[in-house]
Amino acid sequence: MSLTRKRVMVTGGAGFLGSHLCERLLAQGNDVLCVDNYFTGRRDNIAHMLPDPHFEVMRHDICFPLYVEVDEIYNLACPASPVHYQHDPVQTTKTSLIGAINVLGLAKRVGAKVFQASTSEVYGDPTVHPQTEDYRGNVNPLGPRACYDEGKRCAETLFFDYRRQHRLPIKVVRIFNTYGPRMHPDDGRVVSNFIVQALRGDDITIYGDGSQTRAFCFVDDLIEGFIRMMATGAEVTGPVNLGNPHEIPVRELAERVVALVGSPSKIVYRPLPQDDPMQRCPDIGLAQRLLGWGPTVELEQGLLRTIDYFANLLGVPAKSGVGTAGR
Ligand SMILES: NC(=O)c1ccc[n+]([C@@H]2O[C@H](COP(=O)([O-])OP(=O)(O)OC[C@H]3O[C@@H](n4cnc5c(N)ncnc54)[C@H](O)[C@@H]3O)[C@@H](O)[C@H]2O)c1
């Protein structure tokens, strides 16, 4: 039995990324405290970890302070997909800001290292491609996405002010589109949308003409980046971009999903929503240099694993047959 287990808190631990992170931290021999209010997270995402005595769950809204003794904090709590964060935009901003203040206050009190899951959305609709960390972004502060984009931007400000003012060890990563098992089936994100529509044989909806590009990182790769970032020395604060720089047009993604599922679905086009960026692609040079990190999972492999997960969830037989469904 290890007497030197780290006590690690993950806010948003019942969500898509958080549940994979909790799994990884447990596998590394840590005591893991998952804090979640289940706004978009699901018990099913973490049910398989509950029997582990080193895994603990706390139902808690991070807009309220919490008092626990921990060594490291990963702050992931925040609805991440536009349908979810626009459902209650005021609450989204509160979660980003008040949540950041609460986790930073906790980190300061117990002397914990604190990690912020920021986002490529801080770049808004970027005017430079690919985006490097020193690009300051092009965000519409008044639009429907601002509750998320500006909330995350201000959370970054708070992290850096806590570092300057209180010498807190902080780690900030900016996450680009990530996909994989345990994405929410109704989150309106492009990968989950296409897979669910293809599995159901429904029309595949593309917003715009499908020429807009996106770059998709598989969840296992992203979590590896989180762990490497947290393990860096105090001088490394970020922000560091984590994502896959390999871009593909959204139309091509739809075609690949349809082919992999073996679906009869047709592709249909709808108007592009307001402030939807045309292109979004990370420059991951800094992550490569600082963390020795880069994505390793090919899109096809990642899609097959995600298709398998959704096929199980929806009770549809998966033609992909890779048999590696996430729980
Ligand atoms: N998935 C991506 O591609 C992506 C991209 C950029 C940034 N991120 C960031 O990563 C983090 C996790 O994203 P995800 O994709 O796993 O989303 P998710 O919606 O699956 O997970 C978010 C989790 O936070 C919880 N939560 C929300 N508000 C809360 C609150 N007030 N108190 C406690 N818990 C709360 C939700 O219930 C959920 O479990 C988010 O901060 C998101 O902004 C994700």
Side-chain angles (χ1 to χ4, degrees), residues 9-23 32-42 45-46 49 55-63 66 73-80 95 99 103 115 117 152 182 223 226:
M9 177 171 116
V10 179
T11 75
F16 162 46
L17 299 180
S19 61
H20 286 273
L21 177 61
C22 288
E23 237 172 33
V32 177
L33 171 61
C34 164
V35 174
D36 206 295
N37 70 349
Y38 299 109
F39 176 55
T40 50
R42 301 186 319 132
N45 289 344
I46 52 170
M49 291 181 265
F55 184 65
E56 192 183 344
V57 185
M58 184 192 281
R59 179 197 273 266
H60 180 83
D61 183 329
I62 59 153
C63 294
L66 73 171
I73 302 169
Y74 287 85
N75 186 36
L76 273 63
C78 186
T95 295
V103 297
F115 172 107
K152 289 284 188 177
R182 304 199 201 117
I223 300 301
F226 284 13

Side-chain angles (χ1 to χ4, degrees), residues 299-310:
L299 182 64
E300 180 160 324
Q301 277 314 306
L303 285 177
L304 285 172
R305 286 177 59 185
T306 313
I307 289 167
D308 211 38
Y309 166 77
F310 279 115

Side-chain angles (χ1 to χ4, degrees), residues 134-150:
D134 56 4
Y135 175 58
R136 293 189 183 169
N138 177 34
V139 172
N140 172 4
L142 308 178
R145 300 172 79 106
C147 57
Y148 183 72
D149 303 5
E150 297 289 13

Side-chain angles (χ1 to χ4, degrees), residues 1-2 5-8 22 25-27 29-34 46-57:
M1 187 178 80
S2 168
R5 282 177 175 273
K6 256 187 305 192
R7 299 158 303 174
V8 187
C22 288
L25 291 166
L26 278 178
N30 300 297
D31 279 334
V32 177
L33 171 61
C34 164
I46 52 170
H48 60 289
M49 291 181 265
L50 291 176
D52 190 323
H54 297 287
F55 184 65
E56 192 183 344
V57 185

Side-chain angles (χ1 to χ4, degrees), residues 68-132:
V68 289
E69 302 301 318
V70 288
D71 304 305
E72 292 180 352
I73 302 169
Y74 287 85
N75 186 36
L76 273 63
C78 186
S81 78
V83 253
H84 291 145
Y85 69 64
Q86 289 171 9
H87 170 75
D88 186 347
V90 173
Q91 181 60 33
T92 299
T93 305
K94 280 186 178 170
T95 295
S96 273
L97 296 191
I98 303 175
I101 289 170
N102 286 329
V103 297
L104 287 161
L106 171 64
K108 180 176 162 231
R109 189 176 67 78
V110 299
K113 241 196 255 185
V114 56
F115 172 107
Q116 169 68 354
S118 190
T119 171
S120 58
E121 300 286 340
V122 301
Y123 301 123
D125 191 359
T127 53
V128 299
H129 298 283
Q131 291 87 53
T132 48

